[in-house]
Amino acid sequence: MSVTPPPYDATAVRPAWTDLPPGLRSAITARLGAPVTAARVAGAGFTRGFAAVLSTADGSSVFVKAAARTDQPRLVDWYAREVAVLARLPAGLPVPRLRWTLSAADWYVLGLDAVDGRTPDLPWSPADLAAALAGYAELAVALAHPPAELTALGLPHLADLARDDILWWGEVAGGREPAPPLPARVRGRLPELVALESRLPGYAAAGTGLIHGDLRLDNVLIDSHRVAWFCDWTWLCHGPAWFDLVTLLLTAYASGLDADGLFAEHPAAAGAPADALDVTLAALAGYFLTTAEATPPTASPQIHRHHRFSGETALTWLAARQGWA
């Protein structure tokens, strides 16, 4: 691969606590119930919203996310969507829980449980990855038959998202999108890439449960007991759990671990079509590589590197599986 991974624990470009408007800080402090004594800004993520663990004089800590309605309306919408999901997820899952929301000074704010954890290192340690895979197995079981109040949100379907925004090789083949830079061994494989990715909507439509929808290394926290916690629930959607599993295992493959074996052995892959892994890798490779230079300027500059690295990882893994020499 030509691109090294971004520093996933330090990709964010965020305002500090002292950068927030005084009126907003006052409103948050009042909601916390005690003066803020420390603010540890989150290093992971690609948005420019405020995100930090705020510690207060009474010894408590809350993870606070905030976005300005005027400057970051899309981010406000994303946070509101996450709030709706968090309020309805089944109890007992390894997910930081919502405590409160707040609107003040034309900002939207949410307070979550603060998890005393860290972003996993890359390359993954086998122990950290085992914790993440075990935690996701628990999530997948709970979301396979989600509660009615969660499905009542009118969540999107992965099959529709795939047709609308994930499948890009067909656009390249049709001349509607420029081809991304590709290594020599896959330049002549465009018809095969199109054929593989085109199966994703049909496979995804067969899933009856819900999936996280954005399961990657920097949406995982490992605590001191080596329990994995799963964050950022904006993109919950209807779909098969094996799709989440592939997106999580991209960085496992890049870490030199047996990602094929880990996929095959995981409960989330049970019942998956025989070529589900290849189909998903083809779709992800096309999505990440084609959109690598078209990511929004409001995001962290590191998102370009993340897309390129993820796309190259997916394509390299697929090529190895397909025997493309």
Side-chain angles (χ1 to χ4, degrees):
M1 291 182 289
S2 64
V3 179
T4 57
Y8 279 108
D9 61 346
T11 53
V13 179
R14 304 188 187 279
W17 168 246
T18 52
D19 294 330
L20 299 182
L24 176 62
R25 281 186 279 131
S26 296
I28 293 174
T29 300
R31 187 64 184 80
L32 293 171
V36 174
T37 56
R40 179 164 54 89
V41 175
F46 297 100
T47 70
R48 293 178 182 262
F50 176 77
V53 174
L54 300 183
S55 300
T56 56
D58 63 2
S60 62
S61 294
V62 178
F63 182 57
V64 173
K65 299 165 73 168
R69 295 184 186 278
T70 302
D71 299 331
Q72 301 167 308
R74 290 184 66 193
L75 188 55
V76 169
D77 290 344
W78 295 349
Y79 285 171
R81 188 185 310 169
E82 183 178 16
V83 163
V85 169
L86 290 175
R88 293 165 175 82
L89 280 176
L93 296 178
V95 176
R97 288 294 163 169
L98 178 70
R99 292 191 180 186
W100 45 262
T101 62
L102 173 69
S103 292
D106 208 27
W107 283 62
Y108 183 68
V109 188
L110 50 156
L112 308 170
D113 288 344
V115 175
D116 185 12
R118 54 179 172 80
T119 302
D121 293 326
L122 193 61
W124 280 93
S125 73
D128 281 356
L129 183 59
L133 291 173
Y136 184 65
E138 181 183 353
L139 279 182
V141 169
L143 294 177
H145 303 286
E149 59 266 27
L150 199 52
T151 56
L153 289 175
L155 299 165
H157 291 255
L158 177 62
D160 297 327
L161 296 173
R163 281 186 287 262
D164 294 342
D165 193 42
I166 299 177
L167 306 186
W168 286 88
W169 292 123
E171 299 300 300
V172 172
R176 295 178 295 276
E177 189 70 28
L182 297 174
R185 63 174 170 167
V186 296
R187 284 177 197 155
R189 303 290 182 176
L190 187 56
E192 290 150 282
L193 290 168
V194 173
L196 282 169
E197 73 165 12
S198 67
R199 296 173 203 159
L200 181 59
Y203 288 175
T208 57
L210 298 175
I211 61 173
H212 181 279
D214 193 22
L215 193 63
R216 58 180 200 250
L217 173 143
D218 55 319
N219 281 335
V220 177
L221 290 173
I222 306 292
D223 70 16
S224 58
H225 302 290
R226 199 152 254 145
V227 172
W229 295 78
F230 299 88
C231 309
D232 290 351
W233 286 84
T234 299
W235 306 113
L236 188 73
C237 63
H238 296 271
W242 46 259
F243 183 87
D244 269 351
L245 185 60
V246 179
T247 61
L248 181 62
L249 287 175
L250 280 181
T251 45
Y253 181 82
S255 299
L257 301 175
D258 179 17
D260 291 274
L262 292 168
F263 178 84
E265 296 163 4
H266 197 276
D275 60 349
L277 176 53
D278 301 280
V279 164
T280 306
L281 289 174
L284 292 175
Y287 168 76
F288 282 121
L289 291 175
T290 307
T291 62
E293 300 306 320
T295 48
T298 53
S300 162
Q302 291 283 359
I303 197 169
H304 302 286
R305 189 169 162 193
H306 163 65
H307 275 225
R308 187 74 199 173
F309 168 72
S310 300
E312 288 198 8
T313 300
L315 195 58
T316 301
W317 187 2
L318 177 63
R321 288 178 54 79
Q322 294 288 319
W324 294 343

